[in-house]
Amino acid sequence: MIDPRAAVSPQAHIAADADIGPFTVIGPDVEIGAGTWVGPHVVINGPTRIGARNKIFQFASLGDAPQDKKYNGEPTLLEIGDRNVFRECVTVNRGTVLDKGVTHIGNDNLFMAYAHVAHDCVLGDQIVLANCATLGGHVEIGDWAIMGGLSAVHQRTKVGAHCFIAHTAAVTRDVPPYVMTVGRPAEPHSINAEGLKRRGFTAEQIMNIRRAYRVLYRSGLKLNAAVEELEKMAADHAEIRPFVEFIKRSERSLIR
């Protein structure tokens, strides 16, 4: 399953049923799991761990050194889960010792052409990065988040689960779960109601999330007072709890 024209290091560990295309380069200390397909002209450097049934299209570059001037060649890591799709020219860098030393990508994510994931990012599951979406270093993206084409997230910023980042948006502050953002710099627009419907949230749950959004963004309350109101709502409605917990751990301040 390894094309004879590929250059695969003897120190790489490739599952027996993985498929490696022509002219692809795989360096030492790379692990590729069962059923993963790697197309032609891909470069994967280590240390990198790639799980099962991923698809990596031509000209993608995974696991290379972080684009950080402070990086001095330390053996940091890229971890990739299962069933992810990396389209043409996607770039994903390893971590740095100034953080956890790991860039982590979960399962079932789609990275469209030219998307970039910088060093030390942590991504959950079922995320979509559309064409040319870009993450700075140390960014966290929650499950089911969607980033539109040409959008970007500033380093050390968090984007919560089920968010929708509109095309060309520039996110410079933390975005709570469920929120849709637009603009440069990005501002809150509404909740991602359509996405929540598609993922099985009930009409009542979506209405509760909409009320929570209004408390945070439309009530005129200061942040501490808004969080107190949201805590009361979360006591009766579990879908509000991620909203509250995210706000409490925000470090860069919220888009507001």
Side-chain angles (χ1 to χ4, degrees), residues 27-225:
D29 205 5
V30 172
E31 296 181 9
I32 297 179
T36 288
W37 175 84
V38 182
H41 298 283
V42 172
V43 176
I44 305 176
N45 282 315
T48 293
R49 311 286 178 259
I50 299 175
R53 298 184 298 285
N54 295 281
K55 291 185 177 181
I56 305 169
F57 284 73
Q58 54 267 26
F59 306 111
S61 174
L62 307 182
D64 227 315
Q67 298 176 72
D68 187 328
K69 292 174 71 175
K70 299 179 290 299
Y71 179 71
N72 289 313
E74 300 89 352
T76 55
L77 179 64
L78 169 62
E79 293 179 334
I80 295 172
D82 302 331
R83 300 176 303 278
N84 297 286
V85 176
F86 300 88
R87 293 302 306 246
E88 297 83 353
C89 302
V90 167
T91 53
V92 184
N93 296 151
R94 299 194 313 273
T96 66
V97 294
L98 297 177
D99 200 336
K100 296 177 286 294
V102 179
T103 300
H104 176 82
I105 291 174
N107 306 314
D108 301 295
N109 300 297
L110 170 59
F111 301 87
M112 296 187 190
Y114 290 94
H116 174 65
V117 179
H119 58 87
D120 302 292
C121 287
V122 178
L123 279 67
D125 303 333
Q126 300 286 355
I127 295 164
V128 176
L129 268 62
N131 301 79
C132 298
T134 298
L135 305 181
H138 316 277
V139 165
E140 295 182 19
I141 307 289
D143 297 346
W144 295 99
I146 296 175
M147 291 185 60
L150 297 167
S151 61
V153 180
H154 191 279
Q155 63 181 0
R156 300 188 184 278
T157 300
K158 299 178 180 66
V159 174
H162 302 284
C163 284
F164 187 96
I165 309 301
H167 72 285
T168 74
V171 178
T172 59
R173 292 178 290 168
D174 294 347
V175 183
Y178 314 123
V179 171
M180 182 180 295
T181 69
V182 298
R184 304 176 67 85
E187 296 180 350
H189 179 271
S190 57
I191 67 164
N192 184 17
E194 186 59 36
L196 296 176
K197 264 188 227 176
R198 293 176 184 177
R199 289 157 212 154
F201 283 72
T202 67
E204 180 183 0
Q205 288 174 319
I206 294 171
M207 182 56 68
N208 291 333
I209 292 167
R210 199 182 299 277
R211 289 184 183 126
Y213 177 90
R214 288 172 184 156
V215 168
L216 183 62
Y217 289 111
R218 300 287 184 263
S219 67
L221 293 172
K222 292 185 177 179
L223 183 58
N224 288 342

